[in-house]
Amino acid sequence: MARSIILLLDSFGIGYAHDAEKFGDQGADTLGHICEWMAANRKNADGSPKYLALPNLAGLGLAAAAELSRGQKLVHPLSKDDSKVSGAYTYAEEISHGKDTLSGHWEITGVPVLFDWGYFPVQPKCFPKELVQAIIEQGKLPGVLGEKHASGTEIIKELGEEHLLTGKPIIYTSADSVLQIAAHEETFGLERLYELCKICYELVKPYHIARVIARPFVGTCAADFVRTGNRHDYAVPSPEPTLLDKLVEAGGSVYAVGKIADIFAHRGITKHYPASGLDNLFEAALQAVREAPDNSLVFVNFVDFDSSYGHRRDAKGYGEGLEYFDGRLPEMLALLKPDDLALITADHGCDPTWSGSDHTREKIPVLFFGKMVEGCALKPMATFSDIGQTLAAHLHLQPLANGTAAELR
């Protein structure tokens, strides 16, 4: 029986969406701007530009999908011949109200977010006083630090030493619907941090916040503080059954790699493979594909493209991360069975050359591949849910509530 595999490159947009202006993102282009940055700033030994090289992704249709989305070719080819394509490619646009992680993933799996999340205002002391007081009281804390919008790496440099001295956790937010809590993994304690996040998850429900995220870190001072791989997301569950729920209800299996289980509130998950870092995530993805039985979905989120490169506006790191992923793709291709349908896609953009540090409203690549897929251009997808509907059809499930399945043959 059939299997499906989703390799989601978190934040890998391929050109601004039709409604990007509403989000302040008209002109954003994660892939296009990385190509331009690498060509302008990276050199070969002879001094010539060292272009972004993604031959395996190009072979699955990435350059062609980007041209379809952007209305023009990338500034340079991603391979020696971008015209040789073995995948079925296109792009998809988002109809969810936000450009956040949950909205993107839920819409891909058939549940667009057609309501507005709650957000904390961009101002000092951004959290309501009654919420902060409840966190302190129920968490039995001496107080809290932060209480503002901030970069997660910068705020631990700014307040980490005070946190060590006082025992006060650092609470902060971003442009997403989220409350994040940073605390030292050893002195504050990892389990204590998780318990505090569970308390906060309940406390933020009246504010319609999508996620509470535990952000543990280690180190002795601002110069060497670093976040660990023990992040944990406490996410609101999808209001409707997703592709994952439908598959498990039908007797199939969902093998979740990285933060996928957290994103779906551990619902519709058969087995979870925790991992962090591109190398470890790819190894876990390979393991999941080896172990996944027939009638299953392997769903992988490569979070580093978003958290380590996009939000940190690191175009070089993003480009080199893409090249690393591309270099390992043949290992994944070698594991595919004759009836497997694999997909490379994203959940939103996060242009590393854009102002600020937030996500960008972009179209996402849709690259279907496998032994049963013929190389061709597909119609552009009007909603991310067309992806989930296509996978549902491949897995012989009843149609999802949203989306139109693409014809791959």
Side-chain angles (χ1 to χ4, degrees), residues 4-8 108 243 297-301 343 345 391:
S4 288
I5 300 154
I6 303 175
L7 306 178
L8 190 144
I108 285 170
L243 172 69
L297 169 67
V298 176
F299 199 163
V300 189
N301 178 291
L343 165 72
T345 191
L391 297 177

Side-chain angles (χ1 to χ4, degrees), residues 11 13-17 19-37 70 99 175 305-306 309-316 318 348-362:
S11 85
I14 56 170
Y16 67 91
D19 59 354
E21 185 175 8
K22 182 173 67 175
F23 296 84
D25 294 331
Q26 188 166 8
D29 183 0
T30 298
L31 173 59
H33 287 154
I34 290 170
C35 284
E36 293 171 7
W37 192 97
R70 302 165 72 249
K99 53 180 178 176
F305 293 110
D306 186 53
Y309 311 128
H311 283 300
R312 298 188 192 182
R313 298 305 190 238
D314 180 0
K316 180 175 185 289
Y318 206 131
H348 49 70
C350 199
D351 186 339
T353 71
W354 207 241
S355 59
S357 61
D358 301 330
H359 295 157
T360 43
R361 183 76 161 189
E362 295 186 53

Side-chain angles (χ1 to χ4, degrees), residues 246-287:
K246 296 280 190 180
L247 180 56
V248 170
E249 288 170 6
S253 303
V254 174
Y255 283 26
V257 180
K259 70 174 189 176
I260 291 298
D262 282 356
I263 289 170
F264 290 94
H266 292 260
R267 197 181 75 190
I269 306 295
T270 306
K271 185 173 182 179
H272 172 44
Y273 296 76
S276 62
L278 283 178
D279 50 352
N280 292 328
L281 281 164
F282 210 100
E283 287 296 336
L286 295 173
Q287 182 184 353

Side-chain angles (χ1 to χ4, degrees), residues 22-105:
K22 182 173 67 175
F23 296 84
D25 294 331
Q26 188 166 8
D29 183 0
T30 298
L31 173 59
H33 287 154
I34 290 170
C35 284
E36 293 171 7
W37 192 97
M38 298 290 265
N41 295 280
R42 198 171 63 158
K43 305 295 182 184
N44 290 305
D46 63 1
S48 61
K50 187 176 183 180
Y51 297 139
L52 181 68
L54 305 174
N56 294 305
L57 284 165
L60 297 178
L62 177 60
E67 182 178 352
L68 191 64
S69 169
R70 302 165 72 249
Q72 59 182 346
K73 292 181 180 293
L74 295 167
V75 68
H76 61 76
L78 299 177
S79 66
K80 291 182 178 179
D81 186 356
D82 284 356
S83 66
K84 293 181 179 179
V85 175
S86 62
Y89 64 87
T90 187
Y91 66 83
E93 294 223 48
E94 189 169 13
I95 63 172
S96 294
H97 288 190
K99 53 180 178 176
D100 57 280
T101 296
L102 259 63
S103 296
H105 283 73

